[in-house]
Amino acid sequence: MRSLLLAYSLLLVATSQVGASPAQRSLRDFLLQLSHALPLADSPCSQAGEIVCATGCYGVILCVSNGQGGFQEVVLETCSQGTTRCSAEQGTCVTGPTTCGAPTTGSIACHGLGYFPDPYNCSVFHFCSALNINSQRMECAAGHAYNPLTSDCSFLTSDPVCTSGPPVPACTSVGQNGALATNPSMYYVCTVDANNVLIPSLYKCDNGEIYDAPTYSCVDPTSPTSSTGTATTATTTTTTTTTTTTPAPPTPTPAPTSTTTASSAPIPGTPCSPPLIRVADPDDCTRYYECSENWTWVHAACTYGTYYNPVHNRCEFGFC
């Protein structure tokens, strides 16, 4: 196929020269018409009936099965370079930036800390160790897909996260935003990059909050006023006790044994050890206590639609 395309390209160049004979011009016109049904060397098609963009975003292509496990790429529309570009989502050439040309390999810009899904590839995820840097790209094992809720590759490529479209909804306009279906604590905002390409930038809500697109904000899915008020009160009332005990490593050790019983719960802000251990909230199955890296307890919440499973020590889909 590559040799055929090379010969095709050379013929087009030869027949495009000034002074070409009528026979050469006829051959050129025939080849140009034929190009509308020629499969390209590296086809972007993955299934019949799919609409994709040609390399360079200059054309809209319909993927047609060739009956031999491959595809023929039928050009539906040719875009005007410098004026319009392909939009596979809308199936036509449009003015302004589109998702065509957005990177599908490499890193993403870090607007939050931790793990994030790749906007275009369900088997790829990214780790951000600091803000305003490029992420570290990682990939799941063959047949597995990334789960943004549990931060592992517990999904399969046959699951809806891969089959229902890209992990992050395709951008069609600047400012488009919304929460991710697989983890409502994460959200995206569509922006234009330096190459005038529309891409989704990923962000993350803190402390179990979920993203609310109509208000452009992170909100508590249960009771914003009471939960935030409780957390603030607990922290401020215990500040005087933690200022003297936190710096001394030996004193936090007994804290878990005295606060992890079923009849009582840890007090946010008090010492704990070791960091990152978790204890279920005895009064709310959607919340838990975690020993922070500062050796103090914090009261955390699972995202909406999940609950804390003390057996697996993580938030899982479902209700309790």
Side-chain angles (χ1 to χ4, degrees), residues 187-210:
Y187 62 98
Y188 71 97
V189 178
C190 294
T191 60
V192 178
D193 67 5
N195 298 318
N196 197 37
V197 175
L198 198 58
I199 61 171
S201 297
L202 296 179
Y203 299 85
K204 182 186 297 184
C205 297
D206 297 323
N207 303 321
E209 293 181 327
I210 63 174

Side-chain angles (χ1 to χ4, degrees), residues 214-226:
T215 60
Y216 298 93
S217 60
C218 295
V219 298
D220 191 311
T222 54
S223 177
T225 304
S226 60

